[in-house]
Amino acid sequence: MRARRAGAWTLLLPLLLATGCAAAQGGAPGSAAHRTAPSAPPHLRWGLTAPLPPPPSPSVRPPERSGSPATGLPPVVDRVPTRDKVVFLTYDDGAEKDPRFVDLVRELRLPVTMFLTDSVAGPGYGHFARLRAVGAGLQNHTLDHAALRGLPYAGQRAEICGQQHKLRARFGVRPHLFRPPYGTYDTTTLRAAADCGIRALVLWRATMTTTDLTFTEGARRLHPGDIVAVPATETLTPSLKERTVRLLRRVQEQGLTVGKLDDYL
């Protein structure tokens, strides 16, 4: 009996050793370990055919102090005068809080800029804290998204400075860029913005719609330094993530990449 058992172990031992070696090398064909393929590069996971080139070091440095020397008022810009092959992606209000957008920004290292309205973004500031943690810039878009043009100085200052205080209290940052709601403003807006510590009012050259880009001045393509607005409204389809991917494809087709607006203004 003992001899038969010893013989059986002698026959089983090579099989057991072979099985153990297969497990150590990632599992036998058909096993879960064997079927798991290496992760695709981030640009492929998000539907891009090539990775985005990293932006160059900014060739336009932010001014040392707010406002123009002549007037003391901040400039109004819809593009940055630069030869760097970059455009700037900006998002307004803060209505759409898709966690997949945070993943997109993190994995592609997108230097996006969010212009936040407190009454819209405030209930979900945790989402924007996560975006800031992965490199997004957070800037000012008023407390309540009021159309500022024509309002008295006190009302405009309250909208702009009030959001400065909110963002500083919540994130520990004091924005230096401001986008007026609806893109409307007057000299009083500029004066109130300057008094609140704003360095520049930011408009846009192009808008990403649900399907394609539209341009404000009849242009048919993006140019270096263009500022692009991407509406971030929950009711729009496709999602913010999908619209951003479509925009990135257009950016790549035109030989450009994405820069961080905060570094240029």
Side-chain angles (χ1 to χ4, degrees):
M1 178 66 75
R2 289 182 179 176
R4 285 200 297 270
R5 286 179 178 173
W9 279 109
T10 301
L11 292 172
L12 284 171
L13 184 58
L15 180 60
L16 291 171
L17 288 173
T19 304
C21 289
Q25 295 174 5
S31 69
H34 184 83
R35 291 194 304 267
T36 302
S39 295
H43 68 277
L44 292 179
R45 289 201 300 273
W46 292 105
L48 301 178
T49 58
L52 282 166
S57 297
S59 62
V60 176
R61 296 295 179 185
E64 293 183 0
R65 64 194 187 95
S66 174
S68 78
T71 65
L73 299 179
V76 181
V77 298
D78 59 8
R79 69 177 303 274
V80 172
T82 180
R83 294 182 180 178
D84 296 345
K85 292 185 176 181
V86 296
V87 294
F88 306 100
L89 273 55
T90 64
Y91 299 77
D92 287 358
D93 306 339
E96 189 170 343
K97 303 174 182 68
D98 184 353
R100 294 173 299 170
F101 181 70
V102 182
D103 296 337
L104 175 72
V105 171
R106 182 185 68 250
E107 293 186 20
L108 296 182
R109 299 183 180 181
L110 283 181
V112 299
T113 300
M114 318 299 293
F115 286 93
L116 299 182
T117 298
D118 182 67
S119 61
V120 179
Y125 271 151
H127 171 80
F128 298 100
R130 291 187 288 276
L131 275 170
R132 181 171 179 256
V134 297
L138 304 183
Q139 301 293 344
N140 190 328
H141 197 43
T142 72
L143 283 175
D144 298 306
H145 209 270
L148 298 180
R149 186 169 59 195
L151 292 180
Y153 171 83
Q156 297 203 39
R157 189 179 190 281
E159 282 285 340
I160 301 169
C161 286
Q163 182 65 337
Q164 293 286 89
H165 299 324
K166 288 273 188 178
L167 294 176
R168 186 173 186 178
R170 181 61 180 82
F171 300 105
V173 298
R174 189 172 181 84
H176 65 277
L177 303 178
F178 171 65
R179 174 166 286 166
Y182 314 106
T184 62
Y185 63 95
D186 55 20
T187 303
T188 302
T189 311
L190 301 178
R191 197 156 52 88
D195 292 345
C196 295
I198 295 298
R199 184 180 293 160
L201 265 69
V202 179
L203 303 182
W204 55 92
R205 278 284 175 100
T207 302
M208 185 65 195
T209 66
T210 56
T211 57
D212 206 353
L213 281 167
T214 61
F215 296 88
T216 58
E217 295 186 356
R220 295 183 180 274
R221 58 181 289 116
L222 293 168
H223 295 88
D226 280 356
I227 298 169
V228 184
V230 186
T233 304
E234 290 175 308
T235 57
L236 286 179
T237 56
S239 69
L240 187 63
K241 169 188 70 68
E242 292 164 327
R243 277 178 280 133
T244 300
V245 170
R246 289 182 182 181
L247 173 56
L248 292 176
R249 292 188 190 122
R250 289 291 302 274
V251 169
Q252 288 185 309
E253 287 168 3
Q254 296 176 26
L256 301 166
T257 191
V258 180
K260 189 168 186 177
L261 183 63
D262 313 43
D263 293 340
Y264 283 77
L265 292 177

